[in-house]
Amino acid sequence: MSNNPWMECFVKGEWIFETRFLIYTVGYCLLAYIGNTTQKSYFAEVKRDPKNAPDHRSFKAMIASRPTVIAATVHSVATAIISCGILIAYHMQGNAWTTPGGIQLLEIWQTVGLPISISYFLTDCYFYCLPRKDGLIFVHHIIMCLCHYPVVHNSGAILSGAGDIEWVIWLSIIGYTSEISTAVMNYRWYLINTLEENWIGFGITNTFVALSWGMRVVMFTYLLLVQIFPRYSEYVEQNQMLSFRVMVFGHAAIGMLSLHWCIVMLKPGLRNLFVFKKKKVKPIEQMTAGFSFAEEVSGGNDKKEE
């Protein structure tokens, strides 16, 4: 048996993860193709007849301004539902990982949740991070893949969890509940691009997103201080210090990135958080430059439409 959890998952995983990874990757590539095709079609219509172009707040225009939003939303909603659903089922049946029907909840995460997510992160690196040169999101995606891949099979999970398979898979699942904030942030992006005037729902949505980013910081701090650090001696005993360091670095890095994005979101001020200002329409040449995650987090609605 190797002492490397990444290698163990690859060698002894029986190609279960890899097979589903390839299937989901094809799905994400198809969604990216739809997004890019929609973008080209919209820009062609605008250039052909600028005065009679499709409404810039239409669904087609929004996809054109952010071709990767379909895949991003599918990923955040799917992983949030799966992770939260597993945890709810676990607590509803008295903290048991096996349902009365014999369904293994941890296996659902290993064979469905993680392939859905890791395939998304790598395809998003190709379709968004590298073309847009978004270093922070690229780092986030690579960290997520590096930290969660050792959990996709028990042969790697037993090493990365220092002997405790259930705990390390639970750690992976609980971390993914933070995808709720990403899903709601995409709805916030939809509101920013479609609202014509201030609406109370915008302030409620914005407040939820800001609080959820703050809760991310709290959660990752808790996981580090209460769940991970106390197990240091177990990792020493199991000779898994590389796994321990990667785990600590990953949780600390994602926590710091969450704090950074929370600060970016709150930087324009509380009024910008609660009160909607009609977004300024970008010229076609700026729209073709693509979507920026940093601009999305900050709101991109601090300028009134002219």
Side-chain angles (χ1 to χ4, degrees):
M1 177 172 160
S2 168
N3 205 35
N4 185 320
W6 294 272
M7 184 60 68
E8 281 293 300
C9 283
F10 181 74
V11 173
K12 298 182 179 179
E14 301 174 344
W15 291 94
I16 296 174
F17 168 82
E18 286 77 9
T19 300
R20 300 192 178 193
F21 169 85
L22 290 174
I23 292 172
Y24 294 132
T25 296
V26 171
Y28 285 125
C29 288
L30 178 60
L31 293 178
Y33 173 77
I34 293 173
N36 290 332
T37 301
T38 301
Q39 183 187 61
K40 292 177 181 179
S41 173
Y42 176 79
F43 290 152
E45 289 184 52
V46 172
K47 291 180 179 179
R48 183 168 56 249
D49 190 359
K51 293 184 178 180
N52 296 307
D55 184 0
H56 64 274
R57 300 189 189 280
S58 66
F59 181 75
K60 186 174 184 179
M62 287 191 293
I63 298 301
S65 67
R66 185 185 174 190
T68 58
V69 68
I70 306 175
T73 303
V74 168
H75 169 260
S76 60
V77 172
T79 52
I81 289 175
I82 295 172
S83 60
C84 291
I86 289 174
L87 293 175
I88 291 171
Y90 169 73
H91 289 293
M92 285 182 65
Q93 50 197 20
N95 296 345
W97 289 114
T98 304
T99 68
I103 299 175
Q104 300 292 328
L105 297 176
L106 296 179
E107 286 186 10
I108 293 176
W109 184 245
Q110 291 174 301
T111 60
V112 181
L114 287 177
I116 285 176
S117 185
I118 293 177
S119 58
Y120 164 74
F121 287 134
L122 292 181
T123 53
D124 197 53
C125 283
Y126 177 78
F127 288 109
Y128 169 72
C129 299
L130 295 178
R132 292 288 295 148
K133 299 180 181 179
D134 194 328
L136 279 180
I137 300 299
F138 181 80
V139 169
H140 169 273
H141 289 1
I142 296 303
I143 289 175
M144 291 294 288
C145 293
L146 184 65
C147 290
H148 290 275
Y149 177 72
V151 180
V152 302
H153 192 270
N154 286 347
S155 60
I158 195 170
L159 295 175
S160 62
D164 195 334
I165 294 176
E166 291 186 353
W167 171 77
V168 78
I169 300 178
W170 169 85
L171 192 67
S172 174
I173 296 171
I174 198 72
Y176 267 90
T177 59
S178 62
E179 285 296 326
I180 295 173
S181 62
T182 306
V184 178
M185 190 171 70
N186 283 342
Y187 175 61
R188 169 180 178 258
W189 171 80
Y190 168 80
L191 292 178
I192 289 174
N193 283 276
T194 57
L195 285 178
E196 294 292 331
E197 58 185 20
N198 189 37
W199 175 53
I200 188 173
F202 177 78
I204 294 173
T205 302
N206 248 5
T207 301
F208 179 86
V209 173
L211 288 175
S212 64
W213 281 109
M215 288 305 298
R216 280 189 179 208
V217 179
V218 174
M219 180 179 70
F220 286 114
T221 302
Y222 163 80
L223 293 177
L224 274 173
L225 298 180
V226 179
Q227 292 293 332
I228 298 174
F229 283 151
R231 292 176 179 255
Y232 174 80
S233 59
E234 297 173 29
Y235 279 90
V236 172
E237 182 180 346
Q238 296 291 328
N239 192 27
Q240 281 298 316
M241 290 311 299
L242 176 59
S243 295
F244 182 79
R245 293 188 183 100
V246 169
M247 188 176 292
V248 170
F249 171 75
H251 283 78
I254 300 301
M256 290 300 294
L257 285 172
S258 298
L259 177 61
H260 166 72
W261 288 321
C262 186
I263 292 172
V264 169
M265 182 175 180
L266 296 174
K267 190 175 181 180
L270 290 179
R271 179 173 176 77
N272 191 72
L273 187 67
F274 294 112
V275 180
F276 173 78
K277 294 180 181 179
K278 195 172 180 181
K279 187 176 180 182
K280 181 180 179 181
V281 181
K282 291 182 178 180
I284 186 68
E285 61 272 11
Q286 289 186 22
M287 289 183 66
T288 54
F291 167 79
S292 168
F293 182 81
E295 182 180 350
E296 153 66 0
V297 173
S298 64
N301 70 328
D302 54 337
K303 294 182 180 179
K304 293 182 179 180
E305 184 174 10
E306 297 175 352

